[in-house]
Amino acid sequence: MFSVHNTLSGKTEEFKPIRGGEVGMYHCGPTVYDYAHIGNLRSYVFADILRRTAEYGGLKVRQVVNITDIGHLSSDADSGDDKMVKGLKREGLPLSLEGLKQLADKYEQAFKDDLKILNIETPHHFPRATEYLKQEIELVQKLEEKGYAYKLDDGIYFDTGKLQDYGRLGGLTPLDESKARVGSEGKKSPRDFVLWKLSREDRLGFPSPWGMGFPGWHIECSTMSRELLGQPFDIHTGGIDHIPVHHNNEIAQSEASYDTPLANYWMHNEFVTLSGEKIAKSAGSFFTLKDIKEKGFSPLAYRYLLLLSHYRTPTNFSWEALEAAQNAYKRLRMNVSTMPSEDGSTNMNYKKEFLKAIEGDLNTPEALAVVWKLLGDGDIRLADKRQTILDFDKVLGLNLHEIELPSAEIVELKKKRDIARKNKDFAESDKIRDELFKKQWGVIDTEDMTALYWIDNQEGSN
Ligand code: AMP
Ligand code: ZN
């Protein structure tokens, strides 16, 4: 079994599933008002490695990524403009439920495309907040009945003062109420948060016992995770920015209403930074996968770059770092593509090393180091190397199995090109290189040899 760092305890713990050989995972999903930036996507590559590690260990995984298609307030501090409203204005869409749906449809699809392009296994459920309104309202009602909610002019709020241990995830420091400014809306404590947001002038929103409005952002996750995975479920993940507010609020609501933990393990990925600063949409400067492709990089080179850092350390993005990652990734592909595919068996010593890395809180940089060590080991048969690396790739997800062996036609073309190069007929050799490229084969020339590497579709479409 593998071990994971649990933000709840602050310790790395052995993972014990609630139900035998199964594991339920919930990953906080995007607000679908814009394209995901490359920082957001780290959260889902991390979740994918977690899933693949569990599956590699023989567990049956059920994964949920929610789609926030309504009222997610602009900052984690529950203030500012609504992100979806911002999106509507940007796209010139009407401020109506139909407009919201159009916006959500577009960016939900873009998000799902990004996951595929990064070779992230498709989660089993992508619930939308608007599909669970009934249950979201019921949860708020339950909190009201149990005395955890109070009403203000603009919504129903959760009373954090009613909980002894509010904020225990990540160890929030106690609030000094005498110094903290109580929110202008009349909240009892600045940490109280909205459960149901009432819409101004009853314009945009959904009917509820309190009037037209929207579920609070936190209530969505509490509701959908319970509905799809049960409560408690096994593992809840998200970026570290979600620890102080969003996840503490999910815990507060879910535990206050049902007197049982929400999830047993909470895992958080660190940020992708740009020049040391967190990449954030609100800050204006961010890159998407489209930018990566437009600059001629393979999206899987970005996946490789992410795997070079442990998920709990920040990773600084630069085009130079991506280029270095792409070169290493290409070398890896090239190595695997030139290995014979028959009769290989997994090398158990290397597998043990690989497992130690990946099952020790998903240490992907160490796992990649094991791959490179294996590649350089002259005592291992090439067919065994290939088989072992393809086995590891079930976890790494670098699509190495899709590498094809060159057909007789390709081998013949390469031979012809080698002869042309030997004769210094560079026009002919360039012609053959282009022909190979059209057939999805790249060449790497060194002084004394030429190697072929297979170009995956994503690279080919750049
Ligand atoms: P959001 O759409 O803002 O809720 O973000 C979706 C996911 O991306 C959440 O798990 C965030 O914690 C995460 N996230 C946001 N910014 C970054 C970043 N710069 N690096 C890594 N993860 C991030
Ligand atoms: Zn969430």
Side-chain angles (χ1 to χ4, degrees):
M1 205 46 79
F2 56 102
S3 56
V4 296
H5 182 88
N6 191 351
T7 311
L8 259 184
S9 64
K11 293 194 184 101
T12 300
E13 301 170 10
E14 191 188 333
F15 173 69
K16 295 197 182 91
I18 295 169
R19 276 174 291 275
E22 290 173 25
V23 45
M25 302 178 182
Y26 186 91
H27 316 292
C28 285
T31 306
V32 281
Y33 75 112
D34 204 343
Y35 293 106
H37 62 61
I38 56 172
N40 298 136
L41 294 171
R42 185 181 199 191
S43 293
Y44 308 106
V45 169
F46 150 61
D48 187 51
I49 294 288
L50 177 63
R51 168 182 176 166
R52 286 168 178 268
T53 300
E55 287 176 341
Y56 193 67
L59 291 173
K60 192 166 179 305
V61 175
R62 181 191 280 246
Q63 247 184 337
V64 180
V65 174
N66 69 293
I67 301 290
T68 297
D69 59 345
I70 39 175
H72 170 168
L73 301 172
S74 204
S75 82
D76 278 354
D78 274 354
S79 62
D81 284 333
D82 188 289
K83 282 182 177 174
M84 292 299 278
V85 172
K86 262 192 205 164
L88 290 176
K89 287 183 184 158
R90 190 191 58 235
E91 311 255 318
L93 287 168
L95 238 65
S96 64
L97 292 183
E98 293 83 72
L100 272 181
K101 182 158 186 324
Q102 245 178 294
L103 185 72
D105 283 348
K106 174 176 172 183
Y107 290 107
E108 177 178 333
Q109 193 51 52
F111 172 67
K112 288 177 175 171
D113 291 346
D114 282 351
L115 299 190
K116 282 217 173 75
I117 290 171
L118 281 172
N119 205 25
I120 290 168
E121 295 212 52
T122 306
H124 306 82
H125 303 275
F126 286 106
R128 280 183 165 204
T130 50
E131 294 165 348
Y132 287 84
L133 286 162
K134 183 173 156 277
Q135 295 89 332
E136 285 152 6
I137 289 170
E138 280 167 8
L139 182 53
V140 179
Q141 283 177 314
K142 194 158 176 83
L143 288 168
E144 249 186 346
E145 279 161 28
K146 293 185 86 173
Y148 287 105
Y150 61 92
K151 188 170 186 298
L152 294 177
D153 284 349
D154 65 346
I156 309 297
Y157 284 81
F158 187 91
D159 191 347
T160 53
K162 289 267 162 70
L163 286 181
Q164 289 286 317
D165 59 351
Y166 175 80
R168 70 182 193 280
L169 187 71
L172 276 193
T173 48
L175 254 193
D176 183 346
E177 300 284 352
S178 63
K179 288 197 192 120
R181 222 182 96 246
V182 173
S184 54
E185 315 95 324
K187 291 198 291 187
K188 291 189 192 170
S189 157
R191 282 182 177 164
D192 293 355
F193 55 90
V194 77
L195 297 166
W196 185 268
K197 180 91 177 159
L198 290 167
S199 55
R200 279 182 222 117
E201 304 147 27
D202 262 7
R203 272 178 54 213
L204 198 59
F206 300 96
S208 81
W210 312 278
M212 294 293 275
F214 294 101
W217 168 35
H218 320 298
I219 211 88
E220 295 174 20
C221 286
S222 282
T223 304
M224 296 190 283
S225 56
R226 180 185 163 89
E227 287 288 320
L228 291 163
L229 298 171
Q231 183 178 338
F233 61 91
D234 293 294
I235 308 179
H236 195 312
T237 77
I240 49 158
D241 51 335
H242 283 344
I243 301 172
V245 179
H246 182 48
H247 287 169
N248 271 308
N249 291 353
E250 280 186 39
I251 290 173
Q253 301 163 150
S254 294
E255 301 193 356
S257 47
Y258 293 105
D259 300 310
T260 160
L262 177 58
N264 285 351
Y265 300 84
W266 289 78
M267 296 174 71
H268 295 94
N269 63 282
E270 258 286 357
F271 290 140
V272 178
T273 56
L274 262 181
S275 317
E277 300 282 329
K278 177 196 169 194
I279 299 179
K281 276 178 221 162
S282 50
S285 76
F286 67 91
F287 297 120
T288 63
L289 271 194
K290 192 161 163 272
D291 297 318
I292 282 184
K293 284 203 273 181
E294 277 173 7
K295 289 230 177 196
F297 290 99
S298 159
L300 290 185
Y302 181 58
R303 183 177 173 111
Y304 187 95
L305 174 70
L306 289 177
L307 301 190
L308 287 173
S309 304
H310 189 268
Y311 75 91
R312 286 196 292 119
T313 55
T315 188
N316 198 45
F317 178 83
S318 68
W319 294 107
E320 293 73 33
L322 184 59
E323 192 168 355
Q326 171 142 304
N327 288 339
Y329 177 53
K330 275 189 173 164
R331 263 203 331 274
L332 177 58
R333 296 180 71 98
M334 191 184 76
N335 269 296
V336 177
S337 74
T338 52
M339 290 171 185
S341 61
E342 66 281 355
D343 287 346
S345 54
T346 303
N347 181 290
M348 293 319 280
N349 287 335
Y350 276 98
K351 180 157 178 154
K352 228 187 259 169
E353 268 192 63
F354 180 81
L355 278 174
K356 188 164 172 266
I358 205 73
E359 292 191 340
D361 194 27
L362 315 181
N363 196 330
T364 52
E366 245 178 68
L368 281 175
V370 175
V371 171
W372 285 102
K373 187 174 150 197
L374 167 61
L375 275 175
D377 187 337
D379 292 337
I380 312 282
R381 285 177 59 227
L382 285 179
D384 293 346
K385 271 191 194 177
R386 181 172 188 275
Q387 177 55 40
T388 310
I389 290 172
L390 293 191
D391 183 50
F392 297 169
D393 197 40
K394 288 179 194 155
V395 178
L396 301 172
L398 292 167
N399 238 351
L400 300 174
H401 67 280
E402 274 201 12
I403 284 175
E404 290 187 345
L405 290 178
S407 63
E409 181 204 0
I410 301 293
V411 172
E412 199 49 43
L413 276 173
K414 179 182 173 284
K415 266 191 205 153
K416 270 197 202 159
R417 186 170 176 274
D418 286 345
I419 293 167
R421 269 170 55 81
K422 215 168 165 191
N423 297 336
K424 300 209 182 309
D425 184 352
F426 295 116
E428 175 69 5
S429 103
D430 284 356
K431 205 175 115 220
I432 301 175
R433 186 196 58 203
D434 292 346
E435 206 175 320
L436 282 166
F437 190 78
K438 280 196 198 118
K439 295 177 190 294
Q440 275 189 271
W441 286 91
V443 287
I444 292 184
D445 296 318
T446 61
E447 253 174 49
D448 47 349
M449 67 166 280
T450 295
L452 284 170
Y453 70 94
W454 190 66
I455 304 168
D456 67 13
N457 286 331
Q458 288 136 14
E459 273 177 308
S461 66
N462 279 326

